[in-house]
Each structure stands twice: as structure tokens, then as C-alpha cells.
Amino acid sequence: DLVHEGKNNYGTFTHNSRLSIYGIGPHSAGSTISYAIRIKTTNNDSNMILVHYGHKFGFSEFTKNIFTLTLDKGNPKLYTDDTSVLEPRNAYKLNDGNWHDIAVSMPRKSCTLSEVVMYVDGEIVETNIPKNKMHIFFITSGHIGIGGFGYSHTNFGESHFLDLKPYTGNIDYFYLW
């Protein structure tokens, strides 16, 4: 649902919401990708998907990366595959019912997950160093989902990430660059 409050507009997402962006790119080969999203939620039960970039076609394993930003009991996390996750060193509680800005940014082409910079409310977040030292490399035929898996292939969403749930709460904006 789209909510209008004076000059402010935002979307309200439920467990049944599904918003997807189709097209080729901007994720491609060794490109740099950054996301920024403004959220407000009080849900603290699950690891909710804020933004998901996943493969359009099915494969038997992760040969190229995903770029999935989640909120796990109020704590932001970024996944590049089913075993690689970037998370804050100290826990956040962004599920407090207030508006919060979350951003993730690749500083250069094909960087490693440990090089990705995470921001919360305009401040750089100290993150744990992920175990995977592989360089991020995207497939060009993917889809972006806002608040859920969208319409990416189930091999790179629902079937590998059983603990990830659709986002429930409000989203004010989403930027991709």
C-alpha cells in the first residue's frame, strides 16, 4: 500500500508484498553496486529481506554473486551467497519504530565482501570480516526485489535462504547506483 502523509509518501509492506525490478543491469560482471534504503519497522521476529538481487535463471550452485540486504532482528546484514555475510561488529536495533537509513556500497569493481562499506543513519558501521575472500562478481541477468525475493529464480532465493522472510514495515525510498 502507498501511504500519503502530507508531503511524505511511503510504501507499507506485508508478508504478501512483492515488488520487483526487471531488466538487465545495473548489476553486471565486475561492476560496483550501492544500495540505500529508508525503513521503519517494529518486527523483531525474523531475518527480513530489504533488497535482493538474484539470478533470473536457475543454476545448481552459486557461480555468481547475489547482493541481498536484510534486517535480522533489527540488525542489518549483506549476503553475497549462502555462506558469505557482512554484518555489524556491534548489534543494532533498527526495528524500534523510527525511520532509519541503511546503505551498502562497493568501493571498487570486483571488491571482496569485507571491502563493502555499510552505513546506518549516515554513519559508517564497523563490520566483522567475512570468511569468504572471493571477489564479488554478478551475473547480468538478475532481478531486484524490494522487501522480498521479488521474481528471481527460486534456486537463488527461497530454496537457499529458508530463514529469510519478506519485509514487514514501511519503506520511504530505495536508491541504487
Side-chain angles (χ1 to χ4, degrees), residues 18-22 52 143-146 149-152:
R18 196 171 275 241
L19 174 62
S20 192
I21 301 169
Y22 289 89
H52 170 70
H143 290 162
I144 296 173
I146 310 296
F149 286 114
Y151 293 100
S152 62

Side-chain angles (χ1 to χ4, degrees), residues 47-51 68-72 75-79 85 102 164:
N47 197 359
M48 301 182 293
I49 301 166
L50 300 175
V51 182
T68 302
L69 181 62
T70 69
L71 193 67
D72 186 10
N75 204 36
K77 293 183 175 182
L78 178 68
Y79 294 84
V85 61
I102 304 169
L164 298 186

Side-chain angles (χ1 to χ4, degrees), residues 46-100:
S46 60
N47 197 359
M48 301 182 293
I49 301 166
L50 300 175
V51 182
H52 170 70
Y53 175 77
H55 302 269
K56 179 179 177 180
F57 305 107
F59 299 97
S60 60
E61 60 184 54
F62 281 92
T63 56
K64 306 285 187 220
N65 294 111
I66 62 170
F67 211 61
T68 302
L69 181 62
T70 69
L71 193 67
D72 186 10
K73 297 179 178 85
N75 204 36
K77 293 183 175 182
L78 178 68
Y79 294 84
T80 54
D81 63 39
D82 55 347
T83 62
S84 302
V85 61
L86 182 71
E87 56 189 319
R89 196 168 285 158
N90 300 309
Y92 281 80
K93 292 293 181 191
L94 304 182
N95 54 354
D96 61 2
N98 295 310
W99 286 106
H100 293 284

Side-chain angles (χ1 to χ4, degrees), residues 77-146:
K77 293 183 175 182
L78 178 68
Y79 294 84
T80 54
D81 63 39
D82 55 347
T83 62
S84 302
V85 61
L86 182 71
E87 56 189 319
R89 196 168 285 158
N90 300 309
Y92 281 80
K93 292 293 181 191
L94 304 182
N95 54 354
D96 61 2
N98 295 310
W99 286 106
H100 293 284
D101 300 298
I102 304 169
V104 289
S105 184
M106 293 175 64
R108 63 181 180 84
K109 291 182 177 186
S110 297
C111 70
T112 62
L113 183 56
S114 64
E115 294 176 278
V116 174
V117 181
M118 183 181 288
Y119 299 86
V120 169
D121 295 331
E123 301 291 326
I124 293 177
V125 174
E126 287 188 43
T127 55
N128 293 324
I129 297 175
K131 295 174 187 171
N132 184 339
K133 304 229 186 265
M134 301 294 292
H135 291 271
I136 298 171
F137 197 82
F138 300 111
I139 193 164
T140 57
S141 59
H143 290 162
I144 296 173
I146 310 296

Side-chain angles (χ1 to χ4, degrees), residues 9-25:
N9 298 313
Y10 57 87
T12 298
F13 286 72
T14 69
H15 66 279
N16 291 322
S17 300
R18 196 171 275 241
L19 174 62
S20 192
I21 301 169
Y22 289 89
I24 302 298

